[in-house]
Amino acid sequence: MKTLTFTVNGAPTQVDVEEHDYLAEVLRNRLGLTGTKIGCNEAECGICTVLVNGTPVVACIYPALRAEGASVETIEGLAQGDKLHPLQEAFVEGGAPQCGYCIPGIIMTAKGLIDTNPDPSDHDIKVALKDTLCRCAGYSFITHAIQSAAKQLRDGEPQDHLPSLPETVAPLNVIGRPFPRPDARLKVTGKALYSDDFAFPGMLHARTLRAKYPHARILKIDTSRAKALPGVHAVLTADDIPGEKNHGLVIQDWPALAVDKVRYIGDPVAIVAADTRDIASAALALIEVDYEVLPVVSDPVKAHEPGAPLVMESGNLLKHIKVRRGDVAQGFAEADLILEETFHTPTYEHAFLEPECSIGRIAEDGRYEIIVGSQIPYQDRSQVARCLGVPDDQVRIKGALIGGGFGGKEDIAGQVHVALLTRATGRPVKMLYDRHESLIFHPKRHATQITVKIGAKNDGTLTAVETTLYGDSGAYASLGEKVMTRATTHSAGPYEVPNVKADCYAMYTNNPPSGAFRGFGVLQSAFAVESAMDMLAERLGIDAVELRRKNLHRVGSVTNTGQTLRESVGLEKCLELVSAEVTKRKETTQPASKNKRRAWGLAVGYKNTGLGGGAPDKSSAEVELYADGTVQVRTSAAEIGQGLVGVVAMCAAEELGLKYEDVRVLLSDTDLTPDGGPTTASRQTFVTGNAARMAARTLRNAIEATLSELYDQPPQNIRFEEGLARVNGHSLPMSEVAQIFTRQGLQPKATYEYWAPKTQPLGTGGDMHFAFSYAAQAAEVEVDLDTGEVKVLQMVAAHDIGRAINPLALQGQIEGGMVMGLGHAMTEEFIVEDGIVFTDVLARYKMPSIKHAPPITSFIVEDAASTGPYGAKGVGEIASIPTLAAISNAVYNACGVRLHKLPVDQDSLLRALKSGKRTG
Amino acid sequence: MPLWEHYHRPSTVDQAIDNLAQYAGRARVLAGGTDLLLEMQQGRTAPVTAVVDITQISEIKTIEEADGYILIGAGVTHTAITHATLLAQKATCLVESCGVIGGPQVRNVATLGGNVAHALPAGDGTLSLIALDAEAEVAGPKGREWRPIGSLYVGPGKSALDHAAELIVRFRLKPHTAGEGSAFKRIMRPQGVALPILGLGAWVRVAGGVVEAARIALGPAGPRPLRAGQAEAFLVGKAFSRDLLPALAEHVLAEARLRTSPHRATAEYRTELILPLLARAVPLAVQRATTGHVTPEGIGEG
Ligand SMILES: Cc1cc2nc3c(=O)[nH]c(=O)nc-3n(C[C@H](O)[C@H](O)[C@H](O)COP(=O)(O)OP(=O)(O)OC[C@H]3O[C@@H](n4cnc5c(N)ncnc54)[C@H](O)[C@@H]3O)c2cc1C
Ligand code: FES
Ligand code: FES
């Protein structure tokens, strides 16, 4: 140990550090300044940025002792007491934070910039923030907030920090207004607590030994040397699991610790809890495992061939999914033109900036308590309880904030393991995955091979679509079947096609599992079908917009699963808005310079809201009025950055005539908040928004009943506005209403269990889904004919999301989704070779940075869903769905090379250009 | 796991040499750490007992012009290089190459010395130093000596420096004078690691439109950064015009050993890039040499 003497946020500080400590560790663990976040520990994500003597540096690789004598500024030092720094203020009001995990690093990087450059241009900001990533990708909001804050500092006058937003329908009292997120203030001050920010006295640190091979039989595990290492408190293997050995969201096929066999390189084999993370790591190296290596299958098509190595003893086919409508043979016979093309999409990684972390402890009441940022708290509870062999009520899941999920935090990561280690040691246990572990372990987006065969008449009328899909589900089921079902049902696009046949083979392989990921299979099939539609248009000699217009879903259309769309189909409107805007923009676009080509491309998409397919889809919320006149809404639905907290608060405020600020939201504590179901399938605004709204309405009814009796007035004479209940000339503050209830021995609270409209299983016809969101997007790209480099210059989009509950949060989701889609098209690819993960550090997985984010022109279409809250449908996923094909269609239009594979590869693109081939 | 036990922060070069000597091979020089620390974390370097942090040594942190040379301390950060107006005018390609390394946080700590000592055949700073025919002053137990920059490279990631005993103190190079100019360009790939597919630094001396002298450095085009001597010889004595570029590219290709690096680039692709890269860098260097007007391009846009 050495003493480090330096200044932290203006305060002279002395702290004992290890000579090998990094500044980030010292700030977080020794000084308790957990506002500085760690996303990668490899100088790649930039979110650990702090200022050392005014200069932005990444604290994760900054040796702590180098800060001797220096002045260090962290996010905690920005606000003066309650008074936010203008940057923080602008970030809050300008809607920049979503999940919030990157925000401290972004703000500190921005502070470094505006301290030296008081009037930064867009370009200056792009340069300064180039390597400070935001996976929620609110880059335009971040840019706007920085400029707005800089102006405030320059002028010394308060600014309106709200960015300009697309037009939406007239707001109600609360609904439809661009409020900042309720948790934004915490997120900009570094006070927001994510799992790794919690610590308990006596807490142990856990690590996992993972498989050495992607496929192998375990012959023997010897943990004795690891157990003997001083500081080690427990080393557990599958034999030590008291309850069920497996977990799994649909099929319980995933061993919490490997039993007999490992099926992929991330499979956990043993877990260790020790006094420090370093000791736990040292112990891992002492565990001896004897393996018999087995042949590996790492390609879903090969996995389906006879004689392929078996990942699961029961066979490699996880599910054969079929969609049938009409008679495709007949449809193709009627066609004037038939086109058949095969497309590939790679595995994609969520790359949420917060790696997985769970803490387990035995609470004061003797029950297990797990702190985790999870997308499905109640299912976590039952999965943990099952493995422990205890009833569900012996486990409490306490949700921490989630630093991005995108579907990647639905499966069990460390929740079960910390519970087991806590049980074994009696001590609190934290299990934090490092980035490498996160990359190799958690379920990804399915890699797919999709063949699309389309038949059409000369006038463009589609007569048949036949699709064959292979999905790489990896080593375990996770949500693979559900994801690939969605890929399959959406694989003919949002088009009315009389004859459809789709077959999908979701296959087990020895790759990391695939599961939920924003877009849930539909990104992949949309890329395929929307590329094929452009190819078809060209072959038919019809304009690509016209071809789509001719066939798209409208009210009255029947989908390929046999569902008649009765309302809320805003696709045509989306298409018109986007194509008109593109036409307008084409007139004003600058021509490309020599040897570069510019062009636009367009695609459409649709995505179900809610679980659908016959799954019971419900959510519960509780609303309680407090003596101070504020209201709390409680529900176990996850806030993963999408803005659900705000939606829930707004629904309750609207119904109770309250100010938005007077509603607080408590999420994801299985002891205190009723089940909101999984945060998946763009469902939470719809189901939990409805639950909150109905719970608030139930409370309002109760208040009306009480007041109407007290004042002898019919309920309809009671109005709720501006935080007051008005009865016949009396204006009662809500605090007084609460007191009336208490005086009468009543509880001013209400719970509502909302059941979404019933849906039908695939293959049975009828409504497979209760709502769909729609989008049309266009991208302008520039292709460099000398180098094959591709740039996305700008994008135009229109989304039909039913109703914009909060236009600010909505636009954040839309831009973030589009930039993620752009990442999938342009920069991202998770590479696995024969089961070995090549992309095992963040440096090998490039997500879009601020320099990739193009200007986006966005239109909102509000074709209301009658059962949605105020007409709203899902928005979380649709925004990424058309993007991939819009970009690849633009690349084709620019240079004549058709991409059958993503991401765009400038290398093969250039070689195709040079060799005169038309496909890349 | 702890990557080292002892952390030294000497304030002179001699102390640093002593610190290294103390550990008989089990110590490493630490500058910005943006290569070294990641390599250590990923188990790609031999384990060490100590690191010797050289960032406190003021002697290695200065940029100056003296005795007909520009002297740049090995501990100068890429940010400092991009901000130095002296370098923008008189060592333009170096500013352009250091300006595209990483992002600002990396450039704020990463050093030119680290870039050279890391010995990648396509280190961006490296390529410009080679194009500028720089020398490095190396200090070791036996004292200091100037070595030609190219002699420091043995193979990909393998430096001729004795990491256990030596350190680079500073670099020197001849400033651009009238009629001289340089430029650096590279081509990246948006996916995967931040290593260029191909980078190229060019320096020329032009008189009356005729190229009097030229240096072209590129990488990765072999195990070590490549000086394209044959291409340079082809240019010298010719009146420069863009029409020379295709032939120039042929000369470069005759010398370059372009390889396929998995998940980064194919050899065919790299072959295709030689001409466009030359076309971006060489005419620009000539133009700068001819007009004397220099504005470094692409800073921060890497
Ligand atoms: C996100 C990111 C992006 C990057 N992008 C690029 C890029 O675009 N282009 C590029 O070229 N590089 C890039 N790098 C690599 C790196 O930043 C540079 O090579 C940098 O110049 C290394 O300098 P450093 O001071 O950090 O070296 P260190 O990591 O401190 O040291 C590197 C090596 O040099 C030795 N060393 C350091 N200084 C001396 C000295 N004075 N004498 C002797 N030995 C010494 C060390 O012992 C070690 O072996 C990137 C790195 C990161 C993390
Ligand atoms: S750069 Fe430090 S945590 Fe990612
Ligand atoms: S808000 Fe930036 S990563 Fe989520």
Side-chain angles (χ1 to χ4, degrees):
Chain A
M1 286 276 188
K2 277 200 176 166
T3 306
L4 168 64
T5 308
F6 64 150
T7 308
V8 180
N9 296 327
T13 304
Q14 279 206 340
V15 55
D16 286 341
V17 303
E18 298 280 1
E19 296 193 30
H20 54 78
D21 276 347
Y22 290 108
L23 182 57
E25 296 174 285
V26 169
L27 292 170
R28 289 182 53 82
N29 304 337
R30 300 193 188 273
L31 297 173
L33 296 172
T34 55
T36 300
K37 301 297 176 211
I38 304 228
C40 69
N41 263 326
E42 46 169 298
E44 194 61 33
C45 73
I47 67 167
C48 63
T49 298
V50 300
L51 304 183
V52 175
N53 297 329
T55 302
V57 301
V58 284
C60 68
I61 62 151
Y62 196 89
L65 286 170
R66 184 176 287 176
E68 179 71 27
S71 164
V72 174
E73 286 170 75
T74 71
I75 190 72
E76 287 91 348
L78 246 53
Q80 301 295 317
D82 270 352
K83 177 109 187 66
L84 296 181
H85 184 277
L87 272 170
Q88 294 171 312
E89 203 182 294
F91 269 61
V92 169
E93 290 169 24
Q98 296 187 44
C99 83
Y101 201 70
C102 68
I103 293 298
I106 300 240
I107 292 184
M108 294 316 291
T109 313
K111 175 149 195 300
L113 171 67
I114 62 173
D115 282 353
T116 51
N117 176 356
D119 189 6
S121 66
D122 282 6
H123 180 262
D124 297 338
I125 291 174
K126 275 194 201 292
V127 166
L129 262 69
K130 172 190 164 269
D131 272 4
T132 314
L133 302 174
C134 174
R135 185 54 160 166
C136 300
Y139 291 123
S140 79
F141 296 84
I142 288 167
T143 303
H144 181 269
I146 294 171
Q147 283 170 339
S148 192
K151 184 158 194 327
Q152 179 160 331
L153 279 161
R154 283 196 314 276
D155 298 357
E157 275 169 28
Q159 296 290 313
D160 176 3
H161 296 302
L162 197 66
S164 69
L165 295 168
E167 227 172 274
T168 46
V169 300
L172 308 177
N173 282 333
V174 177
I175 298 296
R177 295 186 192 273
F179 288 111
R181 312 165 50 96
D183 55 13
R185 211 183 152 89
L186 290 176
K187 288 175 172 173
V188 300
T189 51
K191 291 187 185 140
L193 296 180
Y194 302 81
S195 305
D196 186 33
D197 300 333
F198 290 86
F200 293 92
M203 188 170 81
L204 303 175
H205 297 268
R207 294 219 58 194
T208 308
L209 179 72
R210 302 203 176 267
K212 197 170 166 193
Y213 305 99
H215 199 193
R217 209 176 303 289
I218 299 175
L219 304 177
K220 190 170 135 243
I221 307 179
D222 182 353
T223 58
S224 54
R225 285 177 62 214
K227 280 182 175 147
L229 186 72
V232 170
H233 292 258
V235 183
L236 306 181
T237 64
D239 290 342
D240 302 304
I241 301 178
E244 294 289 333
K245 306 264 190 235
N246 287 359
H247 59 82
L249 287 168
V250 180
I251 305 172
Q252 275 86 49
D253 64 354
W254 194 341
L257 290 166
V259 183
D260 303 335
K261 200 171 136 162
V262 290
R263 294 183 179 83
Y264 83 108
I265 201 81
D267 244 336
V269 175
I271 45 177
V272 176
D275 286 330
T276 67
R277 192 172 167 87
D278 285 339
I279 297 175
S281 303
L284 294 185
L286 298 177
I287 300 173
E288 289 158 32
V289 188
D290 291 346
Y291 291 103
E292 176 197 334
V293 177
L294 298 171
V296 167
V297 58
S298 62
D299 174 292
V301 179
K302 294 210 175 95
H304 198 216
E305 288 167 4
L310 285 185
V311 182
M312 287 290 168
E313 291 57 34
S314 51
N316 289 341
L317 182 66
L318 168 61
K319 187 82 180 177
H320 176 190
I321 301 144
K322 299 180 204 171
V323 174
R324 301 284 184 267
R325 177 166 192 232
D327 175 355
V328 280
Q330 175 74 28
F332 286 123
E334 287 166 13
D336 296 319
L337 183 81
I338 297 174
L339 168 138
E340 182 171 341
E341 296 287 332
T342 298
F343 300 90
H344 288 93
T345 63
T347 305
Y348 290 110
E349 154 70 23
H350 305 79
F352 34 71
L353 286 179
E354 181 213 18
E356 299 87 336
C357 177
S358 303
I359 301 173
R361 63 182 205 112
I362 313 275
E364 292 64 31
D365 60 10
R367 297 184 307 147
Y368 292 94
E369 184 177 293
I370 313 287
I371 296 173
V372 60
S374 158
Q375 291 183 233
I376 322 187
Y378 271 80
Q379 230 162 328
D380 279 1
R381 181 172 79 159
S382 50
Q383 301 217 64
V384 169
R386 254 203 318 269
C387 286
L388 290 174
V390 301
D392 280 12
D393 66 8
Q394 289 306 299
V395 177
R396 174 180 188 178
I397 305 290
K398 276 173 96 165
L401 281 173
I402 305 177
F406 313 110
K409 290 180 179 164
E410 299 192 21
D411 298 271
I412 288 296
Q415 296 91 322
V416 166
H417 307 95
V418 291
L420 293 169
L421 288 166
T422 291
R423 177 178 174 274
T425 60
R427 303 257 296 259
V429 178
K430 175 186 280 185
M431 182 175 274
L432 167 69
Y433 289 179
D434 60 24
R435 178 57 62 179
H436 167 78
E437 204 172 5
S438 174
L439 284 166
I440 64 169
F441 168 74
H442 75 243
K444 319 265 170 247
R445 189 189 297 289
H446 288 72
T448 60
Q449 170 181 307
I450 303 178
T451 304
V452 185
K453 184 175 171 193
I454 310 186
K457 298 273 201 200
N458 282 329
D459 71 355
T461 310
L462 301 183
T463 59
V465 174
E466 181 173 348
T467 53
T468 312
L469 302 89
Y470 283 87
D472 180 357
S473 264
Y476 298 105
S478 177
L479 286 160
E481 175 193 333
K482 307 272 177 210
V483 170
M484 289 315 294
T485 301
R486 221 57 80 231
T488 314
T489 58
H490 287 65
S491 66
Y495 303 112
E496 167 102 52
V497 189
N499 305 295
V500 176
K501 178 168 181 276
D503 287 276
C504 171
Y505 306 94
M507 302 304 302
Y508 284 114
T509 66
N510 294 117
N511 294 335
S514 296
F517 191 169
R518 185 186 216 168
F520 221 74
V522 183
L523 257 77
Q524 294 96 312
S525 49
F527 165 61
V529 71
E530 287 296 287
S531 297
M533 285 296 278
D534 259 36
M535 298 174 92
L536 182 68
E538 189 185 26
R539 297 261 296 270
L540 289 168
I542 298 179
D543 175 63
V545 172
E546 187 49 42
L547 177 68
R548 289 183 172 85
R549 191 181 287 130
K550 194 163 187 81
N551 294 286
L552 49 75
H553 281 165
R554 301 179 164 81
V555 170
S557 297
V558 180
T559 70
N560 51 2
T561 65
Q563 170 168 2
T564 305
L565 300 171
R566 290 182 301 275
E567 58 160 18
S568 187
V569 188
L571 179 57
E572 190 167 12
K573 182 90 186 287
C574 291
L575 183 65
E576 299 313 332
L577 282 165
V578 169
S579 64
E581 180 69 20
V582 169
T583 308
K584 207 165 89 192
R585 274 165 192 266
K586 274 183 185 162
E587 286 160 14
T588 57
T589 21
Q590 303 291 319
S593 61
K594 195 173 148 276
N595 286 348
K596 292 188 178 167
R597 295 278 181 278
R598 289 184 177 178
W600 285 86
L602 175 143
V604 299
Y606 72 137
K607 176 70 186 53
N608 59 294
T609 298
L611 303 175
D617 203 350
K618 63 170 177 139
S619 172
S620 304
E622 188 167 61
V623 174
E624 180 168 356
L625 175 64
Y626 282 80
D628 62 358
T630 64
V631 154
Q632 188 181 52
V633 188
R634 296 185 278 266
T635 179
S636 278
E639 169 57 50
I640 51 176
Q642 84 281 42
L644 178 78
V645 269
V647 167
V648 162
M650 287 172 77
C651 290
E654 185 70 47
E655 294 300 324
L656 289 163
L658 289 169
K659 284 198 289 220
Y660 171 66
E661 300 77 46
D662 287 338
V663 181
R664 288 163 295 127
V665 180
L666 177 68
L667 293 182
S668 297
D669 180 329
T670 56
D671 271 17
L672 302 178
T673 61
D675 192 0
T679 297
T680 190
S682 310
R683 66 186 281 282
Q684 287 296 9
T685 289
F686 194 100
V687 290
T688 301
N690 263 331
R693 171 168 159 248
M694 301 310 284
R697 199 173 275 180
T698 309
L699 178 61
R700 189 181 74 195
N701 291 343
I703 297 173
E704 280 168 0
T706 305
L707 296 186
S708 79
E709 213 173 283
L710 197 68
Y711 289 91
D712 195 18
Q713 286 289 324
Q716 56 272 29
N717 283 7
I718 300 171
R719 282 176 300 125
F720 295 87
E721 48 197 26
E722 289 161 19
L724 302 169
R726 298 195 202 275
V727 197
N728 196 25
H730 303 270
S731 284
L732 304 179
M734 289 303 260
S735 51
E736 209 170 309
V737 172
Q739 284 156 28
I740 294 173
F741 267 66
T742 321
R743 278 202 298 275
Q744 300 196 359
L746 297 170
Q747 280 201 318
K749 71 175 179 187
T751 307
Y752 194 92
E753 186 177 80
Y754 171 76
W755 285 80
K758 205 164 155 355
T759 56
Q760 293 297 325
L762 176 61
T764 61
D767 289 355
M768 187 168 168
H769 294 290
F770 50 75
F772 292 93
S773 297
Y774 300 89
Q777 295 180 1
E780 188 192 23
V781 305
E782 180 177 275
V783 179
D784 185 323
L785 301 180
D786 288 334
T787 63
E789 289 168 289
V790 178
K791 257 198 238 156
V792 178
L793 303 176
Q794 58 171 329
M795 295 196 70
V796 174
H799 292 81
D800 167 26
I801 43 72
R803 174 79 194 243
I805 301 249
N806 180 336
L808 180 62
L810 172 66
Q811 193 53 24
Q813 281 288 295
I814 287 177
E815 291 202 20
M818 290 175 68
V819 171
M820 187 179 263
L822 179 149
H824 282 26
M826 303 290 299
T827 67
E828 300 177 30
E829 179 175 17
F830 185 89
I831 301 169
V832 188
E833 293 164 313
D834 293 326
I836 306 291
V837 176
F838 171 79
T839 312
D840 66 347
V841 287
L842 199 64
R844 289 183 172 167
Y845 196 82
K846 285 282 184 275
M847 66 187 95
S849 76
I850 195 166
K851 76 168 188 180
H852 297 104
I856 292 175
T857 307
S858 170
F859 299 96
I860 305 296
V861 173
E862 293 167 284
D863 200 331
S866 56
T867 48
Y870 313 97
K873 327 183 259 197
V875 61
E877 300 174 284
I878 181 65
S880 305
I881 288 172
T883 322
L884 288 67
I887 291 173
S888 68
N889 287 341
V891 169
Y892 178 82
N893 293 340
C895 71
V897 176
R898 171 58 59 187
L899 305 168
H900 284 86
K901 199 168 147 268
L902 290 178
V904 176
D905 175 23
Q906 66 200 46
D907 191 314
S908 57
L909 183 65
L910 186 74
R911 285 182 287 127
L913 280 169
K914 296 281 170 181
S915 66
K917 274 194 295 181
R918 303 246 301 158
T919 122
Chain B
M1 292 225 246
L3 297 175
W4 62 81
E5 275 170 57
H6 302 290
Y7 177 87
H8 295 275
R9 210 170 177 228
S11 47
T12 66
V13 170
D14 289 348
Q15 276 173 18
I17 301 290
D18 286 349
N19 289 147
L20 286 173
Q22 204 182 321
Y23 293 95
R26 292 202 36 107
R28 247 345 239 277
V29 170
L30 172 69
T34 60
D35 276 321
L36 182 65
L37 297 179
L38 303 186
E39 296 223 316
M40 285 169 119
Q41 270 170 27
Q42 291 160 18
R44 286 189 276 134
T45 45
V48 297
T49 309
V51 290
V52 179
D53 180 336
I54 58 170
T55 58
Q56 187 86 317
I57 305 175
S58 43
E59 187 192 351
I60 67 163
K61 298 208 289 187
T62 56
I63 301 173
E64 56 180 339
E65 191 173 3
D67 306 329
Y69 282 103
I70 289 178
L71 292 150
I72 305 169
V76 169
T77 63
H78 299 308
T79 299
I81 289 172
T82 51
H83 287 167
T85 36
L86 169 70
L87 301 182
Q89 293 307 312
K90 299 185 177 177
T92 315
C93 63
L94 184 66
V95 169
E96 290 180 323
S97 60
C98 295
V100 294
I101 288 177
Q105 293 96 323
V106 164
R107 290 195 298 275
N108 284 342
V109 297
T111 64
L112 189 58
N115 198 269
V116 171
H118 191 49
L120 288 184
D124 289 310
T126 285
L127 291 175
S128 284
L129 286 174
I130 296 213
L132 295 173
D133 205 18
E135 294 167 276
E137 187 183 28
V138 177
K142 295 196 208 88
R144 300 184 178 197
E145 62 171 340
W146 286 100
R147 301 188 198 163
I149 185 89
S151 73
L152 296 183
Y153 298 84
V154 179
K158 203 164 170 345
S159 169
L161 291 169
D162 178 355
H163 282 310
E166 294 182 327
L167 85 98
I168 308 173
V169 178
R170 52 193 175 155
F171 301 95
R172 71 176 181 198
L173 46 92
K174 295 278 188 197
H176 299 344
T177 53
E180 295 177 356
S182 68
F184 173 85
K185 293 288 168 187
R186 68 176 194 184
I187 292 182
M188 296 288 282
R189 194 172 176 265
Q191 305 92 12
V193 284
L195 287 173
I197 290 175
L198 211 54
L200 188 145
W203 171 92
V204 289
R205 185 187 305 136
V206 184
V210 174
V211 179
E212 284 191 351
R215 288 190 295 264
I216 295 173
L218 74 153
R224 312 182 312 131
L226 177 76
R227 260 291 291 277
Q230 183 183 326
E232 293 170 2
F234 165 78
L235 271 186
V236 172
K238 295 204 169 56
F240 184 78
S241 98
R242 292 188 83 97
D243 298 341
L244 294 175
L245 292 170
L248 186 64
E250 288 309 317
H251 286 287
V252 171
L253 281 167
E255 298 170 274
R257 282 161 58 194
L258 300 175
R259 290 197 336 159
T260 293
S261 357
H263 309 306
R264 219 166 113 208
T266 59
E268 297 98 291
Y269 181 56
R270 286 191 162 127
T271 305
E272 295 288 354
L273 291 185
I274 297 285
L275 176 57
L277 208 49
L278 285 166
R280 288 176 190 187
V282 178
L284 183 59
V286 170
Q287 183 203 327
R288 287 169 174 170
T290 318
T291 63
H293 293 307
V294 176
T295 314
E297 292 181 357
I299 305 301
E301 292 170 10

